[in-house]
Coordinates of all heavy atoms in Angstrom, one line a residue:
K1 N -130.1 -87.4 -92.7 CA -129.5 -86.3 -93.6 C -130.5 -85.3 -93.9 O -130.3 -84.1 -93.7 CB -128.8 -86.9 -94.8 CG -127.5 -87.7 -94.6 CD -126.9 -88.0 -95.8 CE -127.5 -89.0 -96.7 NZ -126.6 -89.4 -97.8
R2 N -131.8 -85.8 -94.2 CA -132.8 -84.7 -94.5 C -133.3 -84.1 -93.2 O -133.5 -82.8 -93.3 CB -134.1 -85.6 -95.2 CG -135.2 -84.7 -95.6 CD -136.5 -85.4 -95.8 NE -136.9 -86.2 -94.6 CZ -137.6 -85.6 -93.6 NH1 -137.9 -84.4 -93.6 NH2 -137.9 -86.4 -92.6
R3 N -133.6 -84.8 -92.3 CA -134.2 -84.2 -91.0 C -133.2 -83.2 -90.3 O -133.7 -82.1 -89.9 CB -134.5 -85.2 -90.1 CG -135.3 -84.8 -88.8 CD -135.6 -86.1 -87.9 NE -136.4 -85.6 -86.8 CZ -137.6 -86.0 -86.4 NH1 -138.2 -86.8 -87.3 NH2 -138.1 -85.5 -85.3
Y4 N -131.9 -83.4 -90.4 CA -131.0 -82.7 -89.6 C -130.0 -81.9 -90.5 O -129.1 -81.3 -90.0 CB -130.2 -83.6 -88.7 CG -131.0 -84.3 -87.7 CD1 -131.4 -85.6 -88.0 CD2 -131.4 -83.7 -86.5 CE1 -132.2 -86.3 -87.1 CE2 -132.2 -84.4 -85.6 CZ -132.6 -85.6 -85.8 OH -133.4 -86.3 -84.9
S5 N -130.4 -81.8 -91.8 CA -129.6 -81.0 -92.9 C -128.1 -81.4 -92.8 O -127.3 -80.5 -92.7 CB -129.9 -79.6 -92.6 OG -131.2 -79.2 -92.8
I6 N -127.8 -82.7 -92.8 CA -126.4 -83.1 -92.8 C -126.2 -83.6 -94.3 O -126.7 -84.7 -94.7 CB -126.2 -84.3 -91.8 CG1 -126.5 -83.7 -90.4 CG2 -124.8 -84.7 -91.9 CD1 -126.6 -84.8 -89.3
P7 N -125.2 -83.0 -94.9 CA -125.1 -83.4 -96.4 C -124.3 -84.8 -96.5 O -124.5 -85.5 -97.4 CB -124.2 -82.4 -96.9 CG -123.4 -81.7 -95.8 CD -124.5 -81.8 -94.6
K8 N -123.4 -85.2 -95.5 CA -122.6 -86.4 -95.7 C -122.4 -87.0 -94.3 O -122.2 -86.3 -93.3 CB -121.2 -86.0 -96.3 CG -120.4 -87.3 -96.8 CD -119.2 -86.8 -97.5 CE -118.5 -87.9 -98.2 NZ -119.2 -88.2 -99.3
I9 N -122.6 -88.3 -94.3 CA -122.4 -89.0 -93.0 C -121.5 -90.2 -93.1 O -121.2 -90.7 -94.2 CB -123.7 -89.5 -92.5 CG1 -124.4 -90.5 -93.4 CG2 -124.8 -88.4 -92.2 CD1 -125.7 -91.2 -93.0
S10 N -121.0 -90.7 -91.9 CA -120.2 -92.0 -91.9 C -120.8 -92.6 -90.7 O -121.6 -92.1 -89.9 CB -118.8 -91.6 -91.7 OG -118.2 -91.4 -93.0
W11 N -120.3 -93.8 -90.5 CA -120.9 -94.7 -89.4 C -119.9 -95.7 -88.9 O -119.1 -96.0 -89.6 CB -122.2 -95.3 -89.7 CG -122.2 -96.2 -90.8 CD1 -122.0 -97.7 -90.8 CD2 -122.3 -95.9 -92.2 NE1 -121.9 -98.2 -92.1 CE2 -122.0 -97.1 -93.0 CE3 -122.4 -94.7 -93.0 CZ2 -122.1 -97.1 -94.4 CZ3 -122.4 -94.7 -94.3 CH2 -122.3 -96.0 -95.1
M12 N -120.1 -96.1 -87.6 CA -119.3 -97.1 -87.0 C -120.2 -98.2 -86.4 O -121.2 -97.8 -85.8 CB -118.3 -96.6 -86.0 CG -117.1 -95.7 -86.6 SD -116.0 -95.1 -85.4 CE -115.5 -96.7 -84.6
A13 N -119.8 -99.4 -86.3 CA -120.6 -100.5 -85.5 C -119.6 -101.2 -84.6 O -118.5 -101.5 -84.9 CB -121.2 -101.4 -86.5
P14 N -120.1 -101.6 -83.5 CA -119.3 -102.3 -82.5 C -119.0 -103.7 -83.1 O -119.9 -104.4 -83.7 CB -120.2 -102.5 -81.2 CG -121.1 -101.4 -81.3 CD -121.4 -101.1 -82.8
G15 N -117.7 -104.1 -83.0 CA -117.3 -105.3 -83.6 C -116.9 -105.3 -85.0 O -116.5 -106.3 -85.6
S16 N -117.2 -104.2 -85.8 CA -116.8 -104.1 -87.1 C -115.4 -103.6 -87.2 O -114.9 -102.6 -86.6 CB -117.7 -103.1 -87.8 OG -117.4 -102.9 -89.2
G17 N -114.5 -104.3 -88.0 CA -113.1 -104.0 -88.0 C -112.4 -104.8 -86.9 O -113.0 -105.6 -86.3
D18 N -111.1 -104.4 -86.7 CA -110.4 -105.1 -85.7 C -111.0 -104.9 -84.3 O -111.7 -103.9 -84.1 CB -108.9 -104.7 -85.7 CG -108.2 -105.3 -86.8 OD1 -108.7 -106.0 -87.7 OD2 -107.0 -105.0 -87.0
A19 N -110.7 -105.9 -83.4 CA -111.4 -105.8 -82.1 C -111.2 -104.4 -81.3 O -111.9 -103.9 -80.6 CB -110.9 -106.9 -81.3
S20 N -110.0 -103.8 -81.6 CA -109.5 -102.6 -80.9 C -110.2 -101.3 -81.4 O -110.2 -100.4 -80.8 CB -108.1 -102.4 -81.1 OG -107.7 -102.2 -82.4
V21 N -110.9 -101.5 -82.5 CA -111.5 -100.2 -83.2 C -112.7 -99.9 -82.4 O -113.0 -98.7 -82.0 CB -112.0 -100.7 -84.6 CG1 -112.9 -99.5 -85.3 CG2 -110.8 -100.9 -85.6
W22 N -113.6 -100.8 -82.0 CA -114.8 -100.6 -81.1 C -115.2 -101.9 -80.6 O -115.9 -102.6 -81.5 CB -115.8 -99.7 -81.8 CG -116.8 -99.3 -80.8 CD1 -116.8 -99.3 -79.5 CD2 -118.2 -98.6 -81.2 NE1 -118.0 -98.7 -79.0 CE2 -118.8 -98.4 -80.0 CE3 -118.9 -98.5 -82.4 CZ2 -120.1 -97.8 -80.0 CZ3 -120.0 -97.9 -82.4 CH2 -120.7 -97.6 -81.2
P23 N -114.9 -102.4 -79.4 CA -115.2 -103.7 -79.0 C -116.7 -104.1 -79.1 O -117.5 -103.3 -78.9 CB -114.8 -103.7 -77.5 CG -113.8 -102.7 -77.5 CD -114.2 -101.6 -78.5
I24 N -117.0 -105.3 -79.5 CA -118.4 -105.7 -79.7 C -119.2 -105.7 -78.5 O -120.5 -105.5 -78.5 CB -118.4 -107.1 -80.4 CG1 -119.8 -107.3 -81.0 CG2 -118.0 -108.2 -79.4 CD1 -119.9 -108.6 -81.9
N25 N -118.6 -105.9 -77.3 CA -119.4 -105.8 -76.0 C -120.0 -104.4 -75.7 O -120.8 -104.3 -74.9 CB -118.7 -106.3 -74.8 CG -117.4 -105.5 -74.5 OD1 -117.1 -104.5 -75.2 ND2 -116.5 -106.2 -73.7
E26 N -119.5 -103.4 -76.5 CA -120.1 -102.1 -76.3 C -121.6 -102.1 -76.8 O -122.3 -101.0 -76.7 CB -119.3 -101.1 -77.1 CG -117.8 -100.9 -76.5 CD -117.8 -99.9 -75.5 OE1 -117.9 -98.7 -75.7 OE2 -117.6 -100.3 -74.2
Q27 N -122.0 -103.1 -77.5 CA -123.3 -103.2 -77.9 C -124.4 -103.0 -76.8 O -125.4 -102.4 -77.0 CB -123.7 -104.6 -78.5 CG -123.0 -104.9 -79.8 CD -123.9 -104.5 -81.0 OE1 -124.5 -103.5 -81.0 NE2 -123.9 -105.4 -81.9
T28 N -124.0 -103.4 -75.6 CA -124.9 -103.4 -74.5 C -125.1 -101.9 -74.2 O -126.3 -101.6 -73.7 CB -124.2 -104.0 -73.3 OG1 -123.0 -103.5 -72.9 CG2 -124.1 -105.5 -73.4
K29 N -124.2 -101.0 -74.3 CA -124.4 -99.6 -74.0 C -125.4 -98.9 -75.0 O -126.2 -98.1 -74.8 CB -123.0 -98.9 -74.0 CG -122.1 -99.3 -73.0 CD -120.7 -98.6 -73.1 CE -119.9 -99.2 -72.0 NZ -118.4 -98.5 -72.1
L30 N -125.3 -99.4 -76.4 CA -126.2 -98.9 -77.3 C -127.6 -99.3 -77.0 O -128.5 -98.5 -77.0 CB -125.7 -99.5 -78.7 CG -124.6 -98.8 -79.4 CD1 -124.3 -99.6 -80.7 CD2 -124.9 -97.4 -79.9
F31 N -127.8 -100.6 -76.8 CA -129.2 -101.1 -76.6 C -129.7 -100.6 -75.2 O -130.9 -100.3 -75.2 CB -129.2 -102.6 -76.6 CG -129.2 -103.3 -78.0 CD1 -128.1 -103.1 -78.9 CD2 -130.5 -103.8 -78.4 CE1 -128.3 -103.6 -80.2 CE2 -130.6 -104.4 -79.7 CZ -129.4 -104.3 -80.6
G32 N -128.9 -100.7 -74.2 CA -129.5 -100.5 -72.8 C -129.5 -99.1 -72.4 O -130.4 -98.6 -71.6
Q33 N -128.6 -98.2 -72.9 CA -128.5 -96.8 -72.5 C -128.7 -95.8 -73.6 O -129.7 -95.0 -73.4 CB -127.1 -96.6 -71.9 CG -126.9 -97.4 -70.6 CD -125.4 -97.3 -70.1 OE1 -124.6 -98.2 -70.6 NE2 -125.1 -96.4 -69.2
L34 N -128.0 -95.8 -74.7 CA -128.2 -94.8 -75.7 C -129.6 -94.9 -76.4 O -130.2 -93.9 -76.8 CB -127.0 -94.8 -76.7 CG -125.7 -94.4 -76.0 CD1 -124.7 -94.4 -77.1 CD2 -125.8 -93.0 -75.5
L35 N -130.1 -96.1 -76.6 CA -131.3 -96.4 -77.2 C -132.4 -96.7 -76.2 O -133.5 -97.2 -76.6 CB -131.2 -97.4 -78.3 CG -130.4 -97.0 -79.5 CD1 -130.2 -98.3 -80.4 CD2 -131.1 -95.9 -80.3
G36 N -132.1 -96.5 -74.9 CA -133.2 -96.5 -73.9 C -133.7 -97.9 -73.5 O -134.8 -97.9 -72.8
G37 N -133.2 -98.9 -73.9 CA -133.6 -100.2 -73.6 C -135.0 -100.6 -74.3 O -135.7 -101.4 -73.8
I38 N -135.3 -99.9 -75.5 CA -136.6 -100.1 -76.1 C -136.5 -100.6 -77.5 O -137.4 -100.5 -78.2 CB -137.4 -98.7 -76.1 CG1 -136.7 -97.7 -76.9 CG2 -137.7 -98.2 -74.7 CD1 -137.6 -96.4 -77.2
V39 N -135.3 -101.2 -77.9 CA -135.1 -101.6 -79.2 C -135.9 -102.8 -79.5 O -136.6 -102.8 -80.5 CB -133.6 -101.9 -79.5 CG1 -133.4 -102.5 -80.8 CG2 -132.8 -100.7 -79.3

């Protein structure tokens, strides 16, 4: 919020909520692609 001057944020996590909200196996895309495999 400070770095990008965003006053309010929300968030989502794979597997949080019912399975259809965001499937937990989407974790692999976060770790391997969007976060560059360096977590």
